[in-house]
Amino acid sequence: MSQQAVLEARELTKFFGEIEAVKDLSLTVNRGDIYGFLGPNGAGKTTSIRMMLGLIKSTRGVSRVFGHDIHAEFKSAIPNVGAMVEGPAFYPYMSGRRNLRILGRLSGGVPEERIDEVLDLVGLKKRGNHKVKGYSQGMRQRLGIAMALLHNPPLLILDEPTNGLDPQGMREVRNLIRRVRDEENVTVFLSSHLLGEMEMICDRISIISNGAIIKEGWMDELVGSGSDVVVVNVSPHESKECMEFLKDKFNASPEMVRQGVIEFNRDDVQTYDLNKALIEAGFRVSSLTTRRRSLEEYFVELTGESKDVN
Amino acid sequence: MSTESQRSHNFFRTVFRLVHADLVKLSHYRVIVFGYIAMFVIAVAGAMLLHYIEQTFQMAKSNSGYDFAIKWITECVQYSAPFLYVMICILFAMEVANSTLKNILTRPVTRIELIISKYITALIMVLAALAIFWAVSLFMGWLYHGLGPLVDDTENECFSMAHMFRQMGVGTLLMLIPLMTIAAMALMVSSYSSTMGGAIIIGFIIFMFFEILAVVPLQNEIAITWQDETYKLPIKAFFFTAQRSKPIMLLDDLATCMRIYTWWTWEIVSMTIICGAFFLVFFVASLLGVKKRDFTI
């Protein structure tokens, strides 16, 4: 079944003076995706999003929303998008509800019931009539998402939606994004430099580094299906010997996560052979398991160690 | 409906929505509300002071409620211009300062619609200020001297009440030319600034530059021939902010029973040319500012 492309970028390029901030960026987001746009700080994520939304002009390339060129057919393209670019923005001296009313008016009129609905969806129904300047960071992020969702857009673009949130707040936003996709049938384009967040929520991702996409694909394809890394638990004082043993016997490149916990890429190693060899060599193995390679490990493989990624 | 008329219909509808949204935002913004309250209080207190001075000291007393109102509105327009200027700076600068421009520009709103709506809101702000000044001035004039038909020293009726109000209406409309030019300067400055403080401070410096230079006695004049007559335009007239008092000067004569045969005097023509030229420059610059600028988020 062919997927409908809701957001397409083709060879988007942006120069700021002589600096090429984004280089030939091409990507396609299909209906129903939660699409992750991952990259370190300064990689060009926000610049790309601003080009996709028509907030800035690209030096080269096109961006289309539901097939409409964002610049040439702005008024046809933009109603399909709800966006929160680099943090939420409001009039702090007004209530959340009044902020939504103002934005609703600019979207062509939104009934009061829809305002109630989005406030309820983001969990701000009780605080909707309070002034935004009294909101916590998490409440502001949620109000930002409510603003983006207000006019029922089929595509939601969120730039770093969990910025500045504590783990509880991050979890709330993640759940909210899933709920929005499932309950409102919204396609979500999510940018972040937080690998863990992307891994937990996205179906597809593209990785951007130095303004260029270096990888795009399904999350499972990129990080593996479930047993790429072997985790061996041995007695803590046997850790070093065990690492030497694994290097010699299996030609592996083990890493000691902490005393007694050793991890290495599985490659062609069979776990039952490994288990037998460790026991026969006299190691006191408490467990031997496999796990999926993390996005962080994959990211480091692609971009090297010294990147600003959490 | 044709595509063209549909497009213009959509344009006006969007601009109307933006103006409505601006008015809601401003009516909840304390600085703006206090600004209008301050203008009202100063207008009332100043009118009372003017009356007291007229009564107490040897000076030309107002001979009618109209005379009093016109004298006082002259002062109001003078002192209120910097207030209005700062308030109009805030009108656009608050969008940049709160980063709410990105909210607006990711809705079906073009940058041209956005800046046009700001000009219309600025016009409403200026009209609101003038309405306050006229209301206060006329009320105080009525209170101290009474209104009704304007009479001369021999108690003969010069002008009817309707005539007086009509002429004051024309004067007010003409006053909008210099005041809207000042508003255009405020919108231009704020469309290029990244912070509200920057917009207000830089804007105020530019405003004061024009205000101060307007009182410098520059002797050079430019000769302009109009309707077979040569007129001399002093260079200092180009410092346009001072032009705002010109329409009131004609009203001032009206209050002394001098008929205004035409509003289209050289004073008003030169005011229109100078302010029109400045308005055009400021409007184009603000349009380019909003259109070309990448508002750093």
Side-chain angles (χ1 to χ4, degrees):
Chain A
M1 194 176 73
S2 68
Q3 293 264 24
Q4 186 193 3
V6 297
L7 176 67
E8 286 175 279
R10 290 287 165 265
E11 294 172 4
L12 279 183
T13 301
K14 181 70 183 177
F15 277 91
F16 290 113
E18 289 186 355
I19 298 166
E20 194 174 15
V22 178
K23 300 168 196 165
D24 291 324
L25 182 133
S26 295
L27 55 84
T28 305
V29 180
N30 294 320
R31 187 183 276 276
D33 282 348
I34 296 185
Y35 188 101
F37 193 43
L38 175 68
N41 290 332
K45 298 188 297 294
T46 301
T47 305
S48 304
I49 289 175
R50 285 156 80 182
M51 283 191 283
M52 288 178 210
L53 287 169
L55 284 171
I56 54 171
K57 281 208 166 164
S58 55
T59 312
R60 202 170 54 237
V62 289
S63 169
R64 289 191 201 92
V65 177
F66 283 87
H68 301 289
D69 185 309
I70 196 70
H71 287 292
E73 301 163 276
F74 179 75
K75 289 233 173 177
S76 305
I78 206 72
N80 294 303
V81 190
M84 184 171 82
V85 188
E86 226 181 23
F90 336 88
Y91 306 100
Y93 52 88
M94 288 195 285
S95 68
R97 180 180 292 277
R98 201 172 288 280
N99 269 283
L100 289 170
R101 271 191 206 135
I102 284 180
L103 212 57
R105 190 155 187 87
L106 299 185
S107 308
V110 168
E112 199 65 24
E113 297 78 51
R114 177 63 186 162
I115 293 175
D116 285 333
E117 214 172 283
V118 290
L119 281 172
D120 195 24
L121 185 73
V122 300
L124 284 176
K125 201 165 187 180
K126 285 182 185 165
R127 295 292 301 272
N129 293 327
H130 294 193
K131 285 186 180 173
V132 173
K133 63 183 173 189
Y135 282 16
S136 69
Q137 184 66 22
M139 289 162 75
R140 284 168 187 240
Q141 294 290 101
R142 282 186 279 157
L143 183 60
I145 296 174
M147 283 175 147
L149 282 169
L150 186 62
H151 57 295
N152 275 314
L155 170 64
L156 188 62
I157 296 182
L158 301 175
D159 182 19
E160 308 270 6
T162 55
N163 243 5
L165 296 184
D166 57 17
Q168 179 67 22
M170 288 166 83
R171 192 183 161 87
E172 280 175 19
V173 170
R174 264 199 314 271
N175 291 339
L176 176 61
I177 291 169
R178 282 199 200 98
R179 215 163 58 236
V180 161
R181 196 262 302 260
D182 298 339
E183 291 176 14
E184 305 237 333
N185 292 319
V186 173
T187 305
V188 183
F189 180 90
L190 184 69
S191 103
S192 180
H193 66 284
L194 301 172
L195 295 159
E197 175 184 299
M198 291 298 214
E199 199 170 0
M200 277 186 263
I201 199 169
C202 297
D203 312 316
R204 292 175 64 217
I205 59 164
S206 60
I207 297 174
I208 181 171
S209 181
N210 293 322
I213 288 187
I214 52 175
K215 201 78 187 175
E216 187 189 16
W218 291 94
M219 184 66 84
D220 285 346
E221 285 171 12
L222 298 181
V223 297
S225 54
S227 54
D228 310 285
V229 179
V230 179
V231 185
V232 182
N233 277 269
V234 291
S235 175
H237 65 266
E238 293 174 348
S239 301
K240 280 187 183 166
E241 287 168 38
C242 184
M243 282 180 66
E244 289 304 318
F245 177 78
L246 291 169
K247 277 182 201 167
D248 294 344
K249 185 89 177 169
F250 293 95
N251 202 22
S253 306
E255 272 182 48
M256 189 156 60
V257 179
R258 58 179 184 275
Q259 286 290 333
V261 182
I262 298 162
E263 288 187 354
F264 60 97
N265 283 339
R266 185 176 168 181
D267 297 327
D268 296 327
V269 176
Q270 296 299 323
T271 44
Y272 43 81
D273 290 340
L274 175 65
N275 190 26
K276 190 178 172 205
L278 286 168
I279 299 296
E280 282 176 359
F283 290 106
R284 292 193 295 161
V285 181
S286 60
S287 73
L288 194 153
T289 52
T290 57
R291 68 164 174 83
R292 196 169 86 156
R293 176 171 53 169
S294 73
L295 185 56
E296 183 173 327
E297 285 158 337
Y298 182 68
F299 190 89
V300 171
E301 249 179 66
L302 281 175
T303 62
E305 282 285 351
S306 57
K307 296 287 175 183
D308 180 13
V309 177
N310 301 321
Chain B
M1 204 183 280
S2 70
T3 316
E4 201 55 41
S5 64
Q6 177 75 48
R7 205 171 290 160
S8 73
H9 177 67
N10 284 343
F11 176 86
F12 288 115
R13 206 167 47 184
T14 308
V15 169
F16 173 76
R17 283 182 176 144
L18 284 163
V19 172
H20 181 271
D22 274 343
L23 295 177
V24 173
K25 286 176 230 168
L26 294 176
S27 65
H28 287 82
Y29 194 42
R30 275 188 197 165
V31 176
I32 301 292
V33 175
F34 286 156
Y36 277 102
I37 292 172
M39 283 196 276
F40 174 77
V41 170
I42 292 172
V44 172
M48 290 165 76
L49 188 66
L50 176 67
H51 180 64
Y52 171 76
I53 291 169
E54 280 186 347
Q55 297 302 310
T56 313
F57 301 103
Q58 293 295 317
M59 64 175 288
K61 290 180 186 172
S62 300
N63 54 17
S64 70
Y66 298 109
D67 191 17
F68 183 87
I70 290 165
K71 257 185 200 164
W72 184 235
I73 203 147
T74 312
E75 299 302 322
C76 285
V77 169
Q78 286 300 326
Y79 87 74
S80 68
F83 278 79
L84 273 170
Y85 183 78
V86 168
M87 283 155 66
I88 293 167
C89 268
I90 290 172
L91 170 66
F92 193 85
M94 73 173 175
E95 307 287 6
V96 182
N98 291 322
S99 296
T100 40
L101 267 183
K102 66 188 179 191
N103 288 353
I104 299 171
L105 295 175
T106 50
R107 303 282 146 164
V109 171
T110 63
R111 292 180 185 223
I112 291 175
E113 287 164 345
L114 173 69
I115 194 71
I116 297 282
S117 73
K118 294 292 177 196
Y119 272 86
I120 294 173
T121 309
L123 175 66
I124 294 169
M125 289 171 79
V126 171
L127 282 172
L130 287 176
I132 290 172
F133 298 146
W134 272 120
V136 170
S137 302
L138 285 169
F139 176 78
M140 297 306 245
W142 168 78
L143 195 68
Y144 297 134
H145 303 280
L147 293 177
L150 184 68
V151 292
D152 61 15
D153 297 339
T154 55
E155 297 296 315
N156 288 325
E157 182 177 324
C158 311
F159 306 120
S160 68
M161 199 170 169
H163 179 82
M164 289 305 292
F165 273 86
R166 209 164 38 241
Q167 293 298 327
M168 287 188 291
V170 176
T172 307
L173 285 178
L174 287 170
M175 254 190 282
L176 289 177
I177 298 171
L179 289 176
M180 278 310 290
T181 310
I182 293 171
M185 185 164 75
L187 286 171
M188 180 198 71
V189 170
S190 55
S191 70
Y192 283 92
S193 65
S194 303
T195 61
M196 199 185 297
I200 292 170
I201 292 167
I202 295 168
F204 199 72
I205 290 169
I206 296 174
F207 181 79
M208 290 317 289
F209 167 80
F210 280 104
E211 282 283 90
I212 290 165
L213 284 183
V215 295
V216 173
L218 291 169
Q219 298 306 318
N220 295 350
E221 292 171 326
I222 296 170
I224 295 172
T225 306
W226 186 64
Q227 290 187 349
D228 299 330
E229 284 193 53
T230 302
Y231 296 92
K232 286 182 177 169
L233 196 62
I235 284 191
K236 69 174 188 174
F238 285 93
F239 301 107
F240 70 96
T241 57
Q243 302 285 323
R244 64 185 184 270
S245 55
K246 280 189 176 173
I248 314 173
M249 284 176 193
L250 284 175
L251 285 177
D252 207 24
D253 293 341
L254 184 77
T256 57
C257 282
M258 279 174 66
R259 180 170 291 278
I260 299 172
Y261 289 100
T262 174
W263 276 96
W264 210 232
T265 62
W266 169 244
E267 288 291 291
I268 299 295
V269 169
S270 62
M271 176 198 81
T272 308
I273 293 170
I274 292 165
C275 290
F278 272 101
F279 182 88
L280 206 64
V281 170
F282 295 145
F283 180 75
V284 171
S286 56
L287 201 64
L288 287 175
V290 173
K291 198 128 174 69
K292 296 282 176 198
R293 240 187 100 189
D294 163 22
F295 293 100
T296 310
I297 297 163

